[in-house]
Amino acid sequence: MHYAKKGECARLAGVEYETTEKPSMSGQAWARKWGAGWHEDGSCGYEAVTPPCAGSKINECLTELVQVIGPTNSRCGIHVHVDAVDYTWSDMYRLLDVFARIEPLLFLLGGQQRIANSYCVP
């Protein structure tokens, strides 16, 4: 795991970034450096899976990934896993309430055509 520096947000997050082609040599080198992975993905081809990272490390990891990721198209997506081990039920309720309120904006930003697909149903 790649932890945050002192003073940064310590919450771990992992990202799955989809692409249409197998990872290149530089994509494989990125995965070795970060302890990340590449997997076949049924929606568009392949996905890069980052390790859990926090603080500036997630930014550094994703910046390097964007430089080596293969082509994408409208079927490809990105999703994020965020560690919520310290959340209580009331924390989760508040988070879901906020998400429900901003979800229409996320579809507007991500492409309104995604509302009708089977991978991200509102």
Side-chain angles (χ1 to χ4, degrees):
M1 284 189 239
H2 300 276
Y3 295 102
K5 298 174 187 171
K6 188 172 182 172
E8 293 181 335
C9 177
R11 185 162 310 277
L12 293 170
V15 176
E16 297 180 23
Y17 193 132
E18 297 173 342
T19 179
T20 58
E21 293 184 7
K22 285 184 176 184
S24 64
M25 295 296 284
S26 56
Q28 292 172 16
W30 167 85
R32 282 190 301 278
K33 173 184 176 182
W34 286 95
W38 286 93
H39 306 286
E40 287 191 40
D41 177 79
S43 62
C44 65
Y46 297 87
E47 67 182 3
V49 180
T50 72
C53 296
S56 60
K57 290 294 183 180
I58 191 80
N59 185 50
E60 186 181 335
C61 181
L62 291 174
T63 297
E64 291 179 17
L65 174 59
V66 168
Q67 295 170 0
V68 299
I69 195 82
T72 62
N73 62 30
S74 62
R75 291 184 50 160
C76 296
I78 298 172
H79 54 277
V80 180
H81 300 265
V82 179
D83 181 17
V85 70
D86 60 331
Y87 269 37
T88 64
W89 281 107
S90 60
D91 293 332
M92 287 300 295
Y93 179 82
R94 283 192 310 273
L95 176 65
L96 292 172
D97 183 53
V98 169
F99 184 82
R101 293 169 193 264
I102 67 167
E103 186 180 38
L105 177 61
L106 296 175
F107 276 103
L108 182 65
L109 293 171
Q112 291 183 339
Q113 74 278 7
R114 290 190 174 261
I115 289 173
N117 78 31
S118 62
Y119 292 107
C120 49
V121 178

